[in-house]
Amino acid sequence: MSTTTERSLLTLQQRADSYLTDERTIWSWLLTTDHKRIALLYFASITAFFFLGGAAAAVMRLNLVTPEGLLVEHEMYNRLFTMHGVIMVWFFLVPAIPVTLGNFVTPLMLGARDLAFPRVNLTSWYLFIAGGVMALTGLAAGGVDTAWTFYTPLSTGYSHGWMMMVCLGIILSGYSSIATGLNFIVTIHRLRPPGMTWYRLPLFLWSLYATSVIYVLATPVLTMAMILLMFERFFHVGLFDPALGGDPVMFQHLFWFYSHPAVYIMILPGFGVVSEVITAFSRKGIFGYKFIAWSSVSIAVISFFVWGHHMFVAGTSIYSGIAFSLLSFMVSVPSAIKVFNWLATLHKGFIRFNAPMLYILGFIGLFTIGGLTGLFVASLGTDLHLHDTYFVVAHFHYIMVGAMVSAFFAGLHYWWPKITGKMYPEIWGQIAAATIFFGFNMTFAPQFILGYLGMPRRYASYDPGYQVLNVVSSLGAVVLAVAYLMPLIYLTWSLFAGKDAPSNPWEATGLEWQTQSPPRTENFAFTPVITGPPYNYPRPEQRQHV
Amino acid sequence: MSDLVPGEPGAGGYRAAWHSGSDSAAVAEHVGFQYAGIGHQTGTAQAGLWLFLATELLFFGGLFLLYAVDFTRHPGGTLAASRETTLWIGALNSVILLCSSGAYTYGLGLARRGDNRGLFRMVLLTAALGTVFLLLKGYEWYDDIARHLFPGPTFALPAADGGALFWCFYFVATGLHGVHMIIGLVLLAWIGTGARKRRYSSAYYTPVEGVGLYWSFVDMVWITLFPCLYLVGR
């Protein structure tokens, strides 16, 4: 016996220290293998990418204030929306919740002392940064004008720009995703402490597990698609060129085989945050634990079989269209199961409207709108009209930006006391949550109507008849931009002037709240033993009414 | 609520226990702090590697999908183009690669018995065979390009009937396989260095086993590529 016990005692003596103050040199951060510090490295990086991608969107919305385009040349506009898409998809949305909140709380929630492979975790951050630098270099030096979808033959034959550089950046960020997903799956399988059965896992971990399955199984296909794209662009050998026997739609198949599951990468972790926050702030166990857990898994599985719905108008056969339409409808079933279970969790709950809860309530509203409008574009007939219009833009922004960013902020506020040891200013959190909900709807609700009226996406200019709704949308974008800047300001302020956080400010039941705030470097001085189910809140009938 | 402490009854569904470790000091130095012991660590590392190989399968899967589609659309051109490959090099390389995996697996058996010297010899043999494979492959590429089999303006075969697509697949697939081989050689150098320093014992040989899994996977990719490239048209 044992070196491990001696080490435990050592950790016990150091319990006043936290992972933030353990070591203070710059190298102790850049070479750290502590999952909590890596989460903070990721926080800094994806925040920068979020505001860069947002800036591109702001210029686009400003340009669309007048029908002929207020600011930029058409060619420049193409480069702007490509930059917006590439940065937001691969350098913010896909990594966002897993690499930051997931990285931070997974071992804590699980009762483990780190992820299974701490060095792989650090490597994933360096891959992410390398990919990000390459993509940004390409986007800044000459840009790419193909949109983030890189459709052939435009991307292989006709587009001028830094395509290769951006593709390489995306491949590197893809390997960062694979490393993260692999780490999470193996950690959840192998590092569960005694008593942590699968049905005692917090639902956030179920959703991260489902996300990770998509990370590891879908991303390699994108890597291959990008390699083939680069090969074709460099050598012009005919892989996607009909004149040489190739098929441009083949690229779309390979691309969407990753990129449709990728939208579930973006939203599934958000589902997990909702399940955690909604129980903590209604002080009530989750309704339908097993249904929520398995709906995450089934969304991940079904997500691999719906990619064809992006190609209804690309000349694929009507039979494949029917099959992919039906499969796409099937995704709505587990999604709806989640929403209904969350609403049932609220029922008879002791609801507190703290900022995380407000973000979550916003999430449910925005996700429901985004999800239901997805059914419109999943139906073959309707999609013929709505394809490539602003309706599609509004639909996926409701899910990927409205819902997903709300969930990200909810999780960020919820775990902020644990991560930093400081409380955020509650009133500002509530104001920001409400402003984001308002600004988001003002920006994107008009785009549903614009799309229905036939305004195509990705155009720098438009028919003057669309101007009123475009101006409303651009004004909404201003509100949204202010709302997104608010958390940046008050959360930064709270780091320096916020109140010290107790170990469990929300009186939540998760294992991560049983450690000090901020936690110590190796998380637990002792091996936690789990003796009961998660969300062990008193039942409504047992609650003392005051 | 404060921190969990062992010996106290616990609350809210949790209690605490002491860490228990039973590894000898020599083994414990290899065990990461996040694991309960060497067995836990080895199993976890293996799980990670198998999952990584699953991602590799999906990676090459995209390429084989392209091959299947192109073959279905242009069967005649694909078969004709396949007859241009150099069968003797492909066949010899298959034998060499299988022998290299055999050598490595024998070395793994020696590592399990704590024989670092034997492991080192076998790793050296594996790396030598891998290098011969790459040299032969390099010569084959040189020869293919000299015979204008790289698709492009001077392509030697009729392009539009699937011949160009076949040779695209040939160069991308063998190229990516070669990259995997080179990464494998780097990993072999790492294992070889470890064997020289007598790092491995009958209780600790996790990296040896992991690299073996990877090397065998690269082998498997070649075993799938060989008939697709060299045998279909013959």
Side-chain angles (χ1 to χ4, degrees), chain A residues 100-119:
Chain A
T100 55
L101 300 171
N103 230 336
F104 195 95
V105 299
T106 294
L108 288 165
M109 279 184 148
L110 201 59
R113 306 178 82 194
D114 206 312
L115 290 176
F117 308 120
R119 280 175 295 183

Side-chain angles (χ1 to χ4, degrees), chain A residues 339-417:
Chain A
V339 173
F340 291 136
N341 279 301
W342 292 327
L343 295 181
T345 303
L346 291 174
H347 178 63
K348 287 192 177 177
F350 184 71
I351 297 172
R352 293 173 294 174
F353 291 103
N354 292 59
M357 189 62 161
L358 288 185
Y359 278 113
I360 286 308
L361 294 175
F363 171 99
I364 293 177
L366 298 175
F367 175 71
T368 306
I369 297 172
L372 288 176
T373 50
L375 297 177
F376 290 55
V377 283
S379 5
L380 284 172
T382 332
D383 186 61
L384 288 185
H385 177 62
L386 297 175
H387 189 87
D388 263 350
T389 68
Y390 264 84
F391 191 91
V392 177
V393 175
H395 153 65
F396 73 74
H397 278 84
Y398 260 82
I399 295 196
M400 283 156 52
V401 183
M404 155 60 206
V405 177
S406 292
F408 177 69
F409 279 136
L412 186 58
H413 286 75
Y414 178 58
W415 283 302
W416 188 256

Side-chain angles (χ1 to χ4, degrees), chain A residues 1-5 7-9 12 15 113-118 175 178 181-182 185-186 190-191 216-218 220-221 223-224 227-228 231-232 235-240 243-247 250 254 257 503-504 508-511 513-516 520 522-534 536, chain B residues 1-6 11-23 25 28 31-36 39-49 51-56 58-63 65-66 69-70 73-74 150-153 159-165 167-169 171-172 176 180:
Chain A
M1 258 245 17
S2 77
T3 47
T4 36
T5 308
R7 203 159 48 192
S8 309
L9 284 168
L12 187 63
R15 61 187 305 164
R113 306 178 82 194
D114 206 312
L115 290 176
F117 308 120
Y175 278 108
I178 291 172
L182 191 146
I185 291 181
V186 174
R190 298 281 307 174
L191 261 53
V216 296
L217 295 184
V221 181
T223 312
M224 184 52 80
I227 288 175
L228 293 172
F231 193 77
E232 172 66 14
F235 293 111
H236 294 293
V237 286
L239 278 173
F240 305 116
L244 293 170
D247 181 358
M250 194 63 207
L254 288 172
F257 185 83
S503 62
N504 190 359
T509 60
L511 188 50
W513 300 108
Q514 316 298 317
T515 61
Q516 62 180 35
R520 65 172 65 80
E522 292 184 1
N523 296 348
F524 299 98
F526 309 100
T527 303
V529 179
I530 285 69
T531 56
N536 198 3
Chain B
M1 265 177 264
S2 63
D3 276 54
L4 299 165
V5 177
Y14 309 109
R15 63 184 173 80
W18 291 99
H19 293 302
S20 60
S22 53
D23 298 319
V31 179
F33 69 92
Q34 70 273 36
Y35 301 114
H40 189 203
Q41 171 169 289
T42 307
T44 307
Q46 278 174 3
L49 246 146
L51 195 54
F52 173 72
L53 296 185
T55 75
E56 290 277 87
L58 267 290
F59 174 74
F60 283 104
L63 194 59
L65 173 77
L66 195 73
V69 170
D70 292 339
R73 285 193 181 152
H74 313 283
F150 192 90
D161 71 342
L165 293 177
W167 280 94
C168 274
F169 174 77
F171 280 106
V172 174
L176 289 173
H180 278 78

Side-chain angles (χ1 to χ4, degrees), chain B residues 121-144:
Chain B
R121 285 192 192 133
M122 283 302 132
V123 167
L124 213 57
L125 179 58
T126 311
L129 288 169
T131 311
V132 172
F133 175 96
L134 283 175
L135 290 174
L136 275 172
K137 191 76 231 166
Y139 169 73
E140 193 185 358
W141 266 29
Y142 168 78
D143 184 52
D144 294 332

